[in-house]
Amino acid sequence: MASDYLSQTFNALADPTRRAILARLSNGATNVSDLAKPFLKEMSLPAVTKHLKVLETAGLIQKTKDAQWRTCTINAKPLEAATNWMEQYRAFWEESFDRLDEYLKELQAPKNIANKKTKKKTRK
Amino acid sequence: MASDYLSQTFNALADPTRRAILARLSNGATNVSDLAKPFLKEMSLPAVTKHLKVLETAGLIQKTKDAQWRTCTINAKPLEAATNWMEQYRAFWEESFDRLDEYLKELQAPKNIANKKTKKKTRK
């Protein structure tokens, strides 16, 4: 679907099952069948495998083969680029707090200015 | 597609055109036709409109109607939750540097321990 790295990362994260898989792997490398187990109540094994494939394509997990086991390991490196991309917009989501800050400052300090303006008006 | 907020946010970001739209809007609110203009070389107006709809559904942009204009404004608030989600994994993407640190420390300091072990082996 998405060919560029950022799109692949965001696309991989755009699903609650895939995020849950990453959360499980953050506790340590897990073999594929143990990893799939808790999801098999809600979906088939091929469906879980498909989610793993999306995560693997995005470079968020790595599969290794030890003897008969296929083990999955988390690789959070692509999340660094994604976080850096989002950080550009931090000022925008913090803006509302800044506005609140400004409003609170206005409420406290410059009452005199406001009063002066009002007095001027009433003198006319 | 994705019903939960995080999935909607990540899904909206999983496209270079949608990220470019957000980048343009970070310079200020823009009316829809001006916003669409640079993208019309590569796609149709309905395609741009579809991208705007995805961003709007994810709450990343807001459309307002002033007289005859439809204006788009960025709303980066959903990016805060997405960043917070990713921050949980920061330790993982910084891990490789920690390992490098450990390796460098090993190279410098505990040479004696390594030497002792080697000596023990050779004594056998």
Side-chain angles (χ1 to χ4, degrees):
Chain A
M1 177 206 176
S3 58
D4 65 294
Y5 289 115
L6 266 179
S7 298
Q8 275 187 335
T9 307
F10 287 131
N11 177 55
L13 299 177
D15 182 278
T17 305
R18 293 199 286 269
R19 293 197 303 275
I21 289 172
L22 286 180
R24 288 208 74 207
L25 288 178
S26 71
N27 296 322
T30 312
N31 73 63
V32 172
S33 56
D34 281 350
L35 185 61
K37 217 173 274 174
F39 303 105
L40 297 179
K41 295 167 202 158
E42 294 163 27
M43 63 188 79
S44 66
L45 184 61
V48 179
T49 310
K50 210 174 159 186
H51 282 309
L52 290 177
K53 191 77 207 154
V54 176
L55 288 166
E56 202 183 3
T57 306
L60 286 162
I61 64 168
Q62 276 164 337
K63 272 193 215 157
T64 46
K65 232 176 175 175
D66 308 316
Q68 75 272 49
W69 298 108
R70 282 182 305 145
T71 307
C72 285
T73 319
I74 191 171
N75 174 32
K77 207 70 194 164
L79 296 181
E80 186 175 20
T83 303
N84 289 343
W85 183 88
M86 301 228 264
E87 282 294 335
Q88 305 175 80
Y89 297 92
R90 180 175 285 277
F92 290 93
W93 74 69
E94 284 177 346
E95 201 185 30
S96 51
F97 295 105
D98 290 346
R99 275 191 203 148
L100 184 67
D101 250 21
E102 270 173 37
Y103 176 68
L104 291 173
K105 275 178 201 161
E106 267 174 38
L107 275 185
Q108 289 162 351
K111 264 183 187 168
N112 308 330
I113 302 163
N115 288 344
K116 272 177 195 168
K117 273 183 185 167
T118 324
K119 273 177 193 169
K120 253 189 178 174
K121 261 191 179 172
T122 47
R123 264 177 209 164
K124 270 183 188 175
Chain B
M1 176 204 177
S3 57
D4 66 293
Y5 288 116
L6 266 180
S7 298
Q8 276 187 335
T9 307
F10 287 131
N11 177 54
L13 300 178
D15 184 277
T17 304
R18 292 199 287 268
R19 293 198 302 277
I21 289 171
L22 286 180
R24 287 207 76 206
L25 288 177
S26 71
N27 296 322
T30 312
N31 74 64
V32 173
S33 56
D34 281 348
L35 185 61
K37 216 172 278 176
F39 303 104
L40 297 179
K41 295 166 203 160
E42 294 162 27
M43 62 188 80
S44 65
L45 185 61
V48 180
T49 310
K50 211 174 159 187
H51 282 308
L52 290 177
K53 191 79 207 153
V54 176
L55 288 166
E56 200 182 4
T57 306
L60 285 163
I61 64 167
Q62 279 165 336
K63 271 192 216 159
T64 45
K65 231 176 176 176
D66 308 314
Q68 76 273 49
W69 299 107
R70 281 181 305 145
T71 306
C72 286
T73 319
I74 192 170
N75 174 32
K77 206 72 193 162
L79 296 181
E80 187 175 20
T83 302
N84 289 344
W85 182 89
M86 303 229 262
E87 282 293 333
Q88 303 176 82
Y89 298 92
R90 179 175 285 277
F92 290 92
W93 75 68
E94 284 175 347
E95 201 185 31
S96 51
F97 295 105
D98 291 346
R99 275 190 204 151
L100 185 68
D101 250 20
E102 271 173 38
Y103 176 69
L104 290 173
K105 275 178 201 162
E106 267 173 39
L107 275 186
Q108 290 163 348
K111 265 184 186 165
N112 308 331
I113 303 162
N115 288 345
K116 272 177 198 169
K117 274 182 186 170
T118 325
K119 274 176 193 169
K120 255 190 180 175
K121 264 191 179 171
T122 48
R123 263 176 211 165
K124 269 182 189 174

